[in-house]
Coordinates of all heavy atoms in Angstrom, one line a residue:
A1 N -41.3 8.9 -8.5 CA -40.0 9.4 -9.0 C -38.8 8.5 -8.6 O -38.9 7.9 -7.5 CB -39.7 10.8 -8.4
L2 N -37.9 8.3 -9.5 CA -36.7 7.5 -9.2 C -35.7 8.3 -8.4 O -35.4 9.5 -8.7 CB -36.1 7.0 -10.4 CG -36.9 6.0 -11.3 CD1 -36.2 5.7 -12.6 CD2 -37.1 4.7 -10.5
V3 N -35.1 7.7 -7.4 CA -34.1 8.4 -6.6 C -32.8 7.7 -6.9 O -32.6 6.5 -6.8 CB -34.4 8.3 -5.1 CG1 -33.2 8.9 -4.3 CG2 -35.7 8.9 -4.8
A4 N -31.8 8.5 -7.4 CA -30.5 7.9 -7.7 C -29.8 7.5 -6.4 O -29.7 8.3 -5.5 CB -29.7 9.0 -8.5
A5 N -29.2 6.3 -6.4 CA -28.5 5.9 -5.3 C -27.1 6.6 -5.3 O -26.6 6.9 -6.3 CB -28.3 4.4 -5.3
P6 N -26.7 7.0 -4.1 CA -25.3 7.6 -4.0 C -24.3 6.7 -4.5 O -24.4 5.5 -4.3 CB -25.2 8.0 -2.6 CG -26.1 7.1 -1.8 CD -27.2 6.8 -2.8
F7 N -23.3 7.2 -5.2 CA -22.1 6.4 -5.7 C -21.3 6.0 -4.5 O -20.9 6.8 -3.6 CB -21.3 7.2 -6.6 CG -20.0 6.5 -7.1 CD1 -20.2 5.5 -8.0 CD2 -18.8 6.8 -6.6 CE1 -19.1 4.8 -8.4 CE2 -17.7 6.1 -7.0 CZ -17.8 5.1 -7.9
T8 N -21.2 4.7 -4.3 CA -20.4 4.2 -3.2 C -19.2 3.4 -3.7 O -19.2 2.8 -4.7 CB -21.3 3.2 -2.3 OG1 -21.7 2.1 -3.2 CG2 -22.4 3.9 -1.7
V9 N -18.1 3.6 -3.0 CA -16.8 3.0 -3.3 C -16.8 1.7 -2.5 O -16.9 1.7 -1.3 CB -15.7 3.9 -3.0 CG1 -14.3 3.2 -3.2 CG2 -15.7 5.2 -3.8
E10 N -16.5 0.6 -3.2 CA -16.4 -0.7 -2.4 C -15.1 -0.7 -1.6 O -14.1 -0.1 -2.0 CB -16.4 -1.8 -3.4 CG -17.8 -2.1 -4.0 CD -17.7 -3.4 -4.7 OE1 -17.0 -4.4 -4.3 OE2 -18.5 -3.5 -5.7
A11 N -15.2 -1.3 -0.5 CA -14.0 -1.5 0.3 C -13.0 -2.4 -0.4 O -13.4 -3.5 -0.9 CB -14.3 -2.0 1.7
I12 N -11.8 -2.0 -0.4 CA -10.7 -2.8 -1.0 C -10.0 -3.6 0.0 O -9.7 -3.0 1.1 CB -9.7 -1.9 -1.8 CG1 -10.4 -1.1 -2.9 CG2 -8.5 -2.7 -2.3 CD1 -11.0 -1.9 -4.0
D13 N -9.7 -4.9 -0.2 CA -8.8 -5.6 0.7 C -7.4 -5.4 0.2 O -7.0 -6.0 -0.8 CB -9.2 -7.1 0.7 CG -8.4 -7.9 1.7 OD1 -7.5 -7.3 2.4 OD2 -8.6 -9.1 1.8
F14 N -6.6 -4.6 0.9 CA -5.3 -4.3 0.5 C -4.3 -5.4 0.9 O -3.1 -5.3 0.5 CB -4.8 -3.0 1.2 CG -5.4 -1.8 0.6 CD1 -6.6 -1.3 1.1 CD2 -4.8 -1.1 -0.4 CE1 -7.1 -0.1 0.6 CE2 -5.3 0.1 -0.9 CZ -6.5 0.6 -0.5
T15 N -4.8 -6.5 1.6 CA -3.9 -7.5 2.0 C -3.1 -8.2 0.8 O -3.8 -8.5 -0.2 CB -4.7 -8.6 2.8 OG1 -5.2 -8.0 3.9 CG2 -3.8 -9.8 3.2
G16 N -1.8 -8.3 0.9 CA -1.1 -8.9 -0.1 C 0.4 -8.4 -0.2 O 0.8 -7.6 0.6
D17 N 1.1 -8.9 -1.2 CA 2.5 -8.6 -1.5 C 2.5 -7.6 -2.6 O 1.8 -7.7 -3.6 CB 3.3 -9.8 -1.8 CG 3.4 -10.7 -0.6 OD1 3.5 -10.3 0.5 OD2 3.3 -12.0 -0.8
Y18 N 3.5 -6.6 -2.6 CA 3.6 -5.6 -3.6 C 5.0 -5.5 -4.0 O 5.9 -5.8 -3.3 CB 3.1 -4.3 -3.0 CG 1.6 -4.3 -2.7 CD1 1.2 -4.7 -1.5 CD2 0.7 -3.8 -3.6 CE1 -0.2 -4.7 -1.2 CE2 -0.7 -3.9 -3.3 CZ -1.1 -4.3 -2.1 OH -2.4 -4.3 -1.8
A19 N 5.2 -4.9 -5.2 CA 6.5 -4.6 -5.7 C 6.7 -3.0 -5.7 O 5.8 -2.3 -6.2 CB 6.7 -5.1 -7.1
D20 N 7.8 -2.5 -5.2 CA 8.0 -1.1 -5.1 C 9.1 -0.7 -6.1 O 10.3 -1.1 -5.8 CB 8.4 -0.7 -3.7 CG 8.7 0.8 -3.5 OD1 8.7 1.5 -4.5 OD2 8.9 1.2 -2.3
P21 N 8.9 0.0 -7.2 CA 9.9 0.2 -8.2 C 11.1 1.1 -7.6 O 12.2 1.1 -8.1 CB 9.2 1.0 -9.3 CG 7.9 1.5 -8.7 CD 7.6 0.5 -7.6
K22 N 10.8 1.8 -6.5 CA 11.9 2.6 -5.9 C 12.8 1.8 -5.1 O 13.9 2.3 -4.7 CB 11.3 3.8 -5.1 CG 10.6 4.8 -5.9 CD 10.2 6.0 -5.1 CE 9.7 7.1 -6.0 NZ 9.4 8.3 -5.2
H23 N 12.4 0.6 -4.7 CA 13.2 -0.3 -3.9 C 13.2 -1.7 -4.5 O 12.5 -2.6 -4.0 CB 12.8 -0.4 -2.5 CG 12.9 1.0 -1.8 ND1 14.0 1.4 -1.2 CD2 12.0 2.0 -1.6 CE1 13.8 2.6 -0.7 NE2 12.6 3.0 -0.9
P24 N 13.8 -1.9 -5.7 CA 13.7 -3.2 -6.4 C 14.1 -4.4 -5.5 O 15.1 -4.3 -4.7 CB 14.7 -3.1 -7.6 CG 14.9 -1.6 -7.7 CD 14.7 -1.0 -6.4
N25 N 13.4 -5.5 -5.6 CA 13.5 -6.8 -4.9 C 13.2 -6.6 -3.4 O 13.2 -7.7 -2.7 CB 15.0 -7.3 -5.0 CG 15.3 -7.8 -6.4 OD1 14.4 -8.2 -7.1 ND2 16.5 -7.6 -6.8
C26 N 13.0 -5.4 -2.9 CA 12.6 -5.3 -1.5 C 11.2 -5.8 -1.2 O 10.3 -5.7 -2.1 CB 12.8 -3.9 -1.0 SG 14.5 -3.3 -1.1
L27 N 10.9 -6.3 0.0 CA 9.6 -6.8 0.3 C 8.7 -5.6 0.7 O 9.1 -4.6 1.3 CB 9.7 -7.7 1.5 CG 10.7 -8.9 1.4 CD1 10.7 -9.7 2.6 CD2 10.3 -9.8 0.2
R28 N 7.4 -5.8 0.2 CA 6.4 -4.8 0.6 C 5.1 -5.7 0.9 O 4.7 -6.4 0.0 CB 6.0 -3.9 -0.5 CG 7.2 -2.9 -0.8 CD 7.3 -1.9 0.3 NE 8.4 -0.9 0.0 CZ 9.7 -1.0 0.4 NH1 10.0 -2.1 1.1 NH2 10.5 -0.1 0.2
Q29 N 4.6 -5.6 2.1 CA 3.4 -6.5 2.4 C 2.4 -5.7 3.2 O 2.8 -4.9 4.1 CB 3.9 -7.7 3.2 CG 2.8 -8.7 3.4 CD 3.3 -10.0 4.1 OE1 3.8 -9.9 5.2 NE2 3.3 -11.1 3.3
V30 N 1.2 -5.9 2.9 CA 0.1 -5.2 3.7 C -0.8 -6.4 4.3 O -1.1 -7.3 3.6 CB -0.8 -4.3 2.8 CG1 -1.9 -3.7 3.6 CG2 0.1 -3.2 2.2
Q31 N -1.1 -6.2 5.5 CA -2.0 -7.2 6.2 C -3.1 -6.4 6.9 O -2.8 -5.5 7.7 CB -1.2 -8.0 7.3 CG -2.0 -9.0 8.0 CD -2.3 -10.2 7.1 OE1 -1.5 -10.7 6.4 NE2 -3.6 -10.7 7.2
V32 N -4.3 -6.6 6.4 CA -5.5 -5.8 7.0 C -6.1 -6.7 8.0 O -6.4 -7.9 7.8 CB -6.5 -5.4 5.9 CG1 -7.7 -4.7 6.5 CG2 -5.8 -4.6 4.8
L33 N -6.3 -6.1 9.2 CA -7.0 -6.8 10.3 C -8.3 -6.1 10.6 O -8.4 -4.9 10.6 CB -6.1 -6.7 11.6 CG -4.6 -7.0 11.4 CD1 -3.8 -6.5 12.5 CD2 -4.4 -8.5 11.2
D34 N -9.3 -6.9 10.8 CA -10.7 -6.4 11.1 C -11.3 -5.4 10.1 O -12.2 -4.6 10.4 CB -10.8 -5.9 12.5 CG -10.2 -4.5 12.7 OD1 -10.1 -3.7 11.8 OD2 -9.8 -4.2 13.9
G35 N -10.7 -5.3 8.9 CA -11.2 -4.5 7.8 C -10.8 -3.0 7.9 O -11.1 -2.2 7.0
K36 N -10.2 -2.6 9.0 CA -9.9 -1.2 9.2 C -8.4 -1.0 9.5 O -7.8 -0.1 8.9 CB -10.7 -0.6 10.4 CG -12.2 -0.6 10.2 CD -12.6 0.6 9.4 CE -14.1 0.7 9.3 NZ -14.5 1.2 8.1
K37 N -7.8 -1.8 10.4 CA -6.4 -1.6 10.8 C -5.5 -2.3 9.8 O -5.9 -3.4 9.3 CB -6.1 -2.1 12.2 CG -6.8 -1.3 13.3 CD -6.6 -1.9 14.7 CE -7.4 -1.2 15.7 NZ -7.4 -1.9 17.0
A38 N -4.4 -1.8 9.6 CA -3.4 -2.4 8.7 C -2.0 -2.4 9.2 O -1.6 -1.5 9.9 CB -3.5 -1.7 7.3
T39 N -1.3 -3.4 8.9 CA 0.2 -3.5 9.2 C 0.8 -3.5 7.8 O 0.5 -4.3 7.0 CB 0.5 -4.7 10.0 OG1 -0.2 -4.7 11.2 CG2 2.0 -4.7 10.3
V40 N 1.7 -2.5 7.6 CA 2.5 -2.5 6.4 C 3.9 -2.8 6.7 O 4.5 -2.1 7.6 CB 2.4 -1.1 5.7 CG1 3.2 -1.0 4.5 CG2 0.9 -0.7 5.5
S41 N 4.5 -3.8 6.1 CA 5.9 -4.2 6.5 C 6.7 -4.4 5.2 O 6.2 -4.5 4.1 CB 5.9 -5.4 7.3 OG 5.2 -6.5 6.6
G42 N 8.0 -4.4 5.4 CA 8.9 -4.7 4.3 C 10.3 -4.6 4.6 O 10.7 -4.6 5.8
T43 N 11.2 -4.5 3.6 CA 12.6 -4.4 3.8 C 13.1 -3.3 2.9 O 12.5 -3.0 1.9 CB 13.4 -5.7 3.4 OG1 13.0 -6.1 2.1 CG2 13.0 -6.8 4.4
D44 N 14.2 -2.6 3.3 CA 14.8 -1.6 2.5 C 16.3 -1.9 2.2 O 16.9 -2.6 3.0 CB 14.8 -0.2 3.1 CG 13.4 0.4 3.0 OD1 12.6 0.0 2.2 OD2 13.1 1.4 3.8
G45 N 16.7 -1.5 1.0 CA 18.1 -1.7 0.7 C 18.8 -0.4 0.4 O 18.4 0.6 1.0
T46 N 19.7 -0.3 -0.5 CA 20.4 1.0 -0.8 C 20.3 1.4 -2.3 O 21.4 1.5 -2.9 CB 21.8 0.9 -0.3 OG1 22.4 -0.3 -0.9 CG2 21.9 0.8 1.2
P47 N 19.2 1.6 -3.0 CA 17.9 1.5 -2.4 C 17.3 0.1 -2.7 O 16.3 -0.2 -2.0 CB 17.1 2.5 -3.2 CG 17.8 2.5 -4.6 CD 19.2 2.3 -4.3
G48 N 17.9 -0.7 -3.5 CA 17.3 -2.0 -3.8 C 17.8 -3.1 -2.8 O 18.7 -2.8 -2.0
C49 N 17.2 -4.2 -2.9 CA 17.6 -5.3 -2.1 C 18.1 -6.5 -2.9 O 17.9 -6.5 -4.1 CB 16.3 -5.8 -1.3 SG 15.7 -4.7 -0.1
P50 N 18.8 -7.5 -2.3 CA 19.2 -8.7 -3.0 C 18.0 -9.4 -3.5 O 16.9 -9.2 -3.1 CB 20.0 -9.5 -2.0 CG 20.2 -8.6 -0.8 CD 19.2 -7.5 -0.9
P51 N 18.2 -10.3 -4.5 CA 17.1 -11.1 -5.1 C 16.2 -11.8 -4.1 O 15.0 -12.0 -4.3 CB 17.8 -12.1 -6.0 CG 19.1 -11.4 -6.4 CD 19.5 -10.6 -5.2
D52 N 16.8 -12.1 -2.9 CA 15.9 -12.8 -1.9 C 15.1 -11.9 -1.1 O 14.3 -12.3 -0.2 CB 16.8 -13.7 -1.0 CG 17.7 -12.9 -0.1 OD1 17.7 -11.6 -0.2 OD2 18.5 -13.5 0.7
G53 N 15.2 -10.6 -1.3 CA 14.3 -9.6 -0.6 C 14.8 -9.2 0.7 O 14.2 -8.4 1.5
S54 N 16.0 -9.7 1.1 CA 16.5 -9.4 2.5 C 17.0 -7.9 2.5 O 17.3 -7.3 1.5 CB 17.7 -10.3 2.8 OG 18.8 -10.1 1.9
G55 N 17.0 -7.3 3.7 CA 17.3 -5.9 3.9 C 17.0 -5.5 5.2 O 16.6 -6.3 6.1
R56 N 17.0 -4.2 5.5 CA 16.6 -3.6 6.8 C 15.0 -3.8 6.9 O 14.3 -3.2 6.2 CB 17.0 -2.2 6.9 CG 18.5 -1.9 7.0 CD 18.8 -0.5 7.2 NE 18.2 0.4 6.2 CZ 18.8 0.6 5.0 NH1 19.9 0.0 4.7 NH2 18.2 1.4 4.1
A57 N 14.6 -4.6 7.8 CA 13.2 -4.9 8.0 C 12.5 -3.7 8.8 O 13.1 -3.1 9.6 CB 13.0 -6.2 8.8
W58 N 11.3 -3.5 8.4 CA 10.5 -2.5 9.1 C 9.0 -2.9 9.1 O 8.6 -3.7 8.3 CB 10.6 -1.1 8.5 CG 10.4 -1.0 7.0 CD1 11.4 -1.1 6.0 CD2 9.2 -0.9 6.2 NE1 10.9 -1.1 4.8 CE2 9.5 -1.0 4.9 CE3 7.9 -0.8 6.6 CZ2 8.6 -0.9 3.9 CZ3 6.9 -0.7 5.6 CH2 7.3 -0.8 4.2
S59 N 8.2 -2.3 10.1 CA 6.8 -2.6 10.2 C 6.1 -1.3 10.6 O 6.6 -0.7 11.6 CB 6.6 -3.7 11.2 OG 5.2 -4.0 11.2
L60 N 5.1 -1.0 10.0 CA 4.4 0.3 10.2 C 2.9 0.1 10.4 O 2.3 -0.9 10.0 CB 4.5 1.3 9.1 CG 6.0 1.5 8.6 CD1 6.0 2.3 7.3 CD2 6.7 2.3 9.7
A61 N 2.2 1.0 11.2 CA 0.8 0.9 11.4 C 0.1 1.8 10.4 O 0.6 2.8 9.9 CB 0.5 1.4 12.8
G62 N -1.1 1.3 10.0 CA -1.9 2.0 9.0 C -3.4 1.8 9.3 O -3.8 1.0 10.1
S63 N -4.2 2.4 8.5 CA -5.7 2.2 8.5 C -6.2 2.3 7.1 O -5.7 2.9 6.3 CB -6.3 3.2 9.4 OG -6.1 4.5 9.0
V64 N -7.3 1.5 6.9 CA -7.9 1.4 5.6 C -9.3 2.0 5.7 O -10.1 1.8 6.7 CB -8.0 -0.1 5.2 CG1 -8.8 -0.3 4.0 CG2 -6.6 -0.7 5.0
N65 N -9.7 2.7 4.7 CA -11.0 3.3 4.5 C -11.4 3.2 3.1 O -10.9 3.9 2.2 CB -11.1 4.7 5.0 CG -12.5 5.3 5.0 OD1 -13.4 4.6 4.8 ND2 -12.6 6.6 5.1
K66 N -12.3 2.2 2.8 CA -12.8 2.0 1.4 C -11.6 1.7 0.5 O -11.0 0.6 0.5 CB -13.7 3.1 0.9 CG -14.9 3.3 1.8 CD -15.9 4.3 1.2 CE -16.9 4.7 2.1 NZ -18.1 4.0 2.3
D67 N -11.3 2.7 -0.4 CA -10.2 2.4 -1.4 C -8.9 3.2 -1.1 O -8.1 3.4 -2.0 CB -10.7 2.7 -2.8 CG -11.0 4.2 -3.1 OD1 -11.2 4.9 -2.1 OD2 -11.0 4.6 -4.2
T68 N -8.8 3.6 0.2 CA -7.6 4.3 0.6 C -6.9 3.6 1.8 O -7.6 2.9 2.6 CB -7.8 5.8 0.9 OG1 -8.7 5.8 2.0 CG2 -8.4 6.5 -0.3
I69 N -5.6 3.8 1.9 CA -4.9 3.3 3.0 C -4.0 4.4 3.6 O -3.3 5.1 2.8 CB -4.0 2.0 2.7 CG1 -3.3 1.5 3.9 CG2 -3.1 2.3 1.5 CD1 -2.8 0.1 3.7
L70 N -4.1 4.7 4.9 CA -3.3 5.8 5.5 C -2.2 5.1 6.3 O -2.5 4.3 7.2 CB -4.2 6.6 6.4 CG -3.7 7.9 7.0 CD1 -3.4 8.9 5.9 CD2 -4.6 8.4 8.0
V71 N -1.0 5.5 6.1 CA 0.2 4.8 6.7 C 1.1 5.9 7.4 O 1.4 6.9 6.8 CB 1.0 4.0 5.7 CG1 2.1 3.2 6.4 CG2 0.1 3.0 5.0
D72 N 1.5 5.5 8.6 CA 2.5 6.4 9.3 C 3.9 5.9 9.0 O 4.3 4.9 9.5 CB 2.2 6.3 10.8 CG 3.2 7.2 11.6 OD1 4.1 7.8 11.0 OD2 3.1 7.1 12.8
F73 N 4.6 6.6 8.1 CA 5.9 6.2 7.7 C 7.0 6.9 8.5 O 8.2 6.7 8.3 CB 6.2 6.5 6.2 CG 5.6 5.5 5.2 CD1 4.3 5.7 4.7 CD2 6.3 4.4 4.8 CE1 3.8 4.8 3.8 CE2 5.8 3.5 3.9 CZ 4.5 3.7 3.4
S74 N 6.6 7.7 9.5 CA 7.6 8.4 10.3 C 8.6 7.5 11.0 O 9.8 8.0 11.2 CB 6.9 9.4 11.3 OG 6.1 8.7 12.2
P75 N 8.2 6.3 11.5 CA 9.3 5.5 12.2 C 10.5 5.2 11.2 O 11.5 4.9 11.7 CB 8.5 4.2 12.6 CG 7.1 4.7 12.7 CD 6.9 5.7 11.6
K76 N 10.3 5.2 9.9 CA 11.4 4.9 9.0 C 11.8 6.2 8.2 O 12.4 6.1 7.2 CB 11.0 3.8 8.1 CG 9.9 4.0 7.1 CD 9.6 2.7 6.3 CE 10.6 2.2 5.4 NZ 10.9 3.0 4.2
G77 N 11.5 7.4 8.8 CA 11.9 8.6 8.3 C 11.1 9.3 7.2 O 11.5 10.2 6.5
G78 N 9.9 8.7 7.0 CA 9.0 9.3 6.0 C 7.9 10.1 6.6 O 7.9 10.4 7.8
P79 N 6.9 10.5 5.8 CA 5.8 11.3 6.4 C 4.9 10.5 7.3 O 4.8 9.3 7.3 CB 5.0 11.7 5.1 CG 5.5 10.9 4.0 CD 6.8 10.2 4.4
A80 N 4.3 11.3 8.3 CA 3.5 10.6 9.3 C 2.1 10.1 8.8 O 1.7 9.1 9.2 CB 3.2 11.6 10.4
N81 N 1.5 10.8 7.9 CA 0.2 10.4 7.4 C 0.2 10.4 5.8 O -0.2 11.3 5.2 CB -0.9 11.3 7.9 CG -1.1 11.2 9.4 OD1 -1.4 10.1 9.9 ND2 -0.8 12.3 10.1
L82 N 0.7 9.3 5.3 CA 0.7 9.1 3.8 C -0.5 8.4 3.3 O -0.7 7.3 3.8 CB 2.0 8.4 3.4 CG 2.4 8.7 2.0 CD1 2.8 10.1 1.7 CD2 3.7 7.8 1.6
L83 N -1.3 9.0 2.5 CA -2.5 8.4 2.0 C -2.3 7.8 0.6 O -2.0 8.5 -0.4 CB -3.6 9.5 1.9 CG -5.0 9.0 1.6 CD1 -5.5 8.1 2.7 CD2 -5.9 10.1 1.3
G84 N -2.4 6.4 0.6 CA -2.3 5.7 -0.7 C -3.7 5.4 -1.2 O -4.6 5.2 -0.4
K85 N -3.9 5.3 -2.5 CA -5.2 5.1 -3.1 C -5.1 3.8 -4.0 O -4.1 3.7 -4.7 CB -5.7 6.3 -3.9 CG -7.1 6.1 -4.4 CD -7.6 7.4 -4.9 CE -9.0 7.3 -5.6 NZ -10.0 6.7 -4.8
W86 N -6.1 2.9 -3.9 CA -6.1 1.7 -4.7 C -6.3 2.2 -6.1 O -7.2 3.0 -6.4 CB -7.2 0.8 -4.3 CG -7.2 -0.4 -5.1 CD1 -8.1 -0.7 -6.1 CD2 -6.3 -1.5 -5.1 NE1 -7.7 -2.0 -6.7 CE2 -6.6 -2.5 -6.1 CE3 -5.1 -1.8 -4.3 CZ2 -5.9 -3.6 -6.3 CZ3 -4.5 -3.0 -4.5 CH2 -4.8 -3.9 -5.5
E87 N -5.5 1.7 -7.0 CA -5.6 1.9 -8.5 C -5.8 0.6 -9.2 O -4.9 -0.2 -9.2 CB -4.3 2.6 -8.9 CG -4.4 3.3 -10.3 CD -3.2 4.2 -10.6 OE1 -3.2 5.3 -10.0 OE2 -2.3 3.7 -11.3
P88 N -7.0 0.4 -9.7 CA -7.3 -1.0 -10.2 C -6.7 -1.3 -11.6 O -6.5 -2.4 -11.9 CB -8.9 -1.0 -10.3 CG -9.2 0.5 -10.4 CD -8.2 1.2 -9.6
E89 N -6.4 -0.2 -12.4 CA -5.9 -0.5 -13.7 C -5.0 0.7 -14.1 O -5.1 1.8 -13.6 CB -7.0 -0.7 -14.7 CG -8.0 0.4 -14.7 CD -9.3 0.0 -15.6 OE1 -9.5 -1.2 -15.8 OE2 -9.9 0.9 -16.0
P90 N -4.1 0.6 -15.1 CA -3.8 -0.7 -15.8 C -3.1 -1.7 -15.0 O -3.2 -2.9 -15.3 CB -3.0 -0.2 -17.0 CG -2.3 1.0 -16.5 CD -3.2 1.7 -15.6
V91 N -2.4 -1.3 -14.0 CA -1.7 -2.3 -13.1 C -2.2 -2.1 -11.7 O -2.1 -1.0 -11.1 CB -0.2 -2.0 -13.1 CG1 0.5 -3.0 -12.1 CG2 0.4 -2.1 -14.5
P92 N -2.9 -3.1 -11.2 CA -3.5 -3.0 -9.8 C -2.4 -2.7 -8.8 O -1.3 -3.3 -8.8 CB -4.2 -4.3 -9.6 CG -4.2 -5.0 -10.9 CD -3.1 -4.4 -11.7
G93 N -2.7 -1.8 -7.9 CA -1.8 -1.5 -6.8 C -2.1 -0.3 -6.0 O -3.2 0.3 -6.2
I94 N -1.2 0.2 -5.2 CA -1.4 1.4 -4.3 C -0.6 2.5 -4.9 O 0.6 2.4 -5.1 CB -0.9 1.1 -2.9 CG1 -1.7 -0.1 -2.3 CG2 -1.2 2.3 -2.0 CD1 -1.1 -0.6 -1.0
R95 N -1.3 3.6 -5.2 CA -0.7 4.8 -5.8 C -0.5 5.8 -4.6 O -1.4 6.1 -3.9 CB -1.6 5.5 -6.8 CG -1.0 6.8 -7.4 CD 0.2 6.5 -8.3 NE -0.2 5.8 -9.6 CZ 0.6 5.4 -10.5 NH1 1.9 5.7 -10.4 NH2 0.2 4.8 -11.6
W96 N 0.8 6.2 -4.4 CA 1.1 7.1 -3.3 C 1.2 8.6 -3.9 O 1.3 8.8 -5.1 CB 2.5 6.7 -2.7 CG 2.4 5.3 -2.1 CD1 2.8 4.2 -2.7 CD2 1.8 4.9 -0.9 NE1 2.6 3.1 -1.9 CE2 1.9 3.5 -0.8 CE3 1.2 5.7 0.1 CZ2 1.4 2.9 0.4 CZ3 0.7 5.0 1.2 CH2 0.8 3.6 1.3
P97 N 1.1 9.5 -3.0 CA 1.1 11.0 -3.4 C 2.3 11.4 -4.3 O 2.1 12.3 -5.1 CB 1.1 11.7 -2.1 CG 0.5 10.8 -1.1 CD 0.9 9.4 -1.5
D98 N 3.4 10.7 -4.1 CA 4.6 11.1 -4.9 C 4.5 10.5 -6.3 O 5.5 10.7 -7.1 CB 5.9 10.7 -4.2 CG 6.1 9.2 -4.1 OD1 5.2 8.4 -4.5 OD2 7.2 8.8 -3.6
G99 N 3.5 9.8 -6.6 CA 3.3 9.2 -7.9 C 3.8 7.7 -8.0 O 3.5 7.0 -9.0
N100 N 4.5 7.3 -7.0 CA 5.0 5.9 -6.9 C 3.8 4.9 -6.8 O 2.8 5.2 -6.2 CB 5.9 5.7 -5.7 CG 6.7 4.4 -5.8 OD1 6.9 3.8 -6.8 ND2 7.2 4.0 -4.6
L101 N 3.9 3.8 -7.6 CA 2.9 2.8 -7.5 C 3.5 1.5 -7.0 O 4.5 0.9 -7.6 CB 2.3 2.5 -8.9 CG 1.3 1.4 -9.0 CD1 0.0 1.8 -8.4 CD2 1.1 0.9 -10.5
W102 N 3.0 1.0 -5.9 CA 3.3 -0.4 -5.4 C 2.4 -1.3 -6.1 O 1.2 -1.3 -5.9 CB 3.0 -0.5 -3.9 CG 4.0 0.2 -3.0 CD1 5.0 1.1 -3.3 CD2 4.1 0.1 -1.6 NE1 5.7 1.5 -2.2 CE2 5.1 0.9 -1.1 CE3 3.4 -0.7 -0.6 CZ2 5.5 1.0 0.2 CZ3 3.7 -0.5 0.7 CH2 4.7 0.3 1.1
S103 N 2.9 -2.1 -7.1 CA 2.1 -2.9 -7.9 C 1.8 -4.3 -7.1 O 2.7 -4.8 -6.5 CB 2.7 -3.2 -9.2 OG 4.0 -3.7 -9.1
S104 N 0.6 -4.7 -7.2 CA 0.2 -5.9 -6.5 C 0.9 -7.1 -7.2 O 0.9 -7.2 -8.4 CB -1.3 -6.1 -6.6 OG -1.7 -7.4 -6.1
K105 N 1.4 -8.1 -6.4 CA 2.0 -9.2 -6.9 C 1.0 -10.4 -7.1 O 1.4 -11.4 -7.6 CB 3.2 -9.7 -6.0 CG 4.4 -8.8 -6.1 CD 5.5 -9.4 -5.2 CE 6.8 -8.6 -5.4 NZ 7.8 -9.3 -4.6
V106 N -0.2 -10.1 -6.8 CA -1.3 -11.2 -7.0 C -1.7 -11.2 -8.5 O -2.0 -10.2 -9.1 CB -2.5 -10.8 -6.1 CG1 -3.6 -11.9 -6.4 CG2 -2.1 -10.8 -4.7
A107 N -1.6 -12.4 -9.0 CA -1.9 -12.5 -10.5 C -3.4 -12.4 -10.7 O -4.2 -12.8 -9.9 CB -1.4 -13.9 -11.0

């Protein structure tokens, strides 16, 4: 008898630069260390940033599990445990619970 293999989700490397439509021109960067821990950093404007991406800098801790990333946004006034999910298409990026998509800047 054939045994069906369980469906497995491949681990996504979230490392890279992203564009956040809620904060135009502001920086969004994810750096994954050891495959599990993540640093999410960026800049904020009011709400957008100048074309050079400058603004109020921030850096947050997160963790990666397969195709999701859990980030503590509380240091910058957001939710403590926000779970983003990798969305491969039509535009690759991180989809957040509020529907916002950080689109990957990697071509």
Side-chain angles (χ1 to χ4, degrees):
L2 293 174
V3 177
F7 177 74
T8 56
V9 176
E10 285 190 35
I12 299 294
D13 183 359
F14 285 89
T15 298
D17 295 321
Y18 296 85
D20 179 354
K22 291 190 174 183
H23 298 275
N25 294 324
C26 296
L27 304 177
R28 294 290 180 268
Q29 187 173 67
V30 177
Q31 183 71 43
V32 178
L33 314 163
D34 75 26
K36 297 275 185 215
K37 294 179 185 165
T39 300
V40 180
S41 58
T43 55
D44 282 345
T46 53
C49 293
D52 66 0
S54 62
R56 289 184 307 278
W58 50 266
S59 182
L60 306 170
S63 60
V64 172
N65 183 12
K66 300 189 192 272
D67 66 342
T68 61
I69 183 167
L70 187 68
V71 183
D72 178 4
F73 280 93
S74 63
K76 63 185 295 291
N81 293 298
L82 201 63
L83 187 66
K85 185 166 174 56
W86 181 256
E87 195 168 282
E89 53 190 23
V91 178
I94 303 169
R95 178 73 66 185
W96 299 100
D98 66 355
N100 192 22
L101 177 72
W102 286 10
S103 56
S104 175
K105 289 186 173 181
V106 178

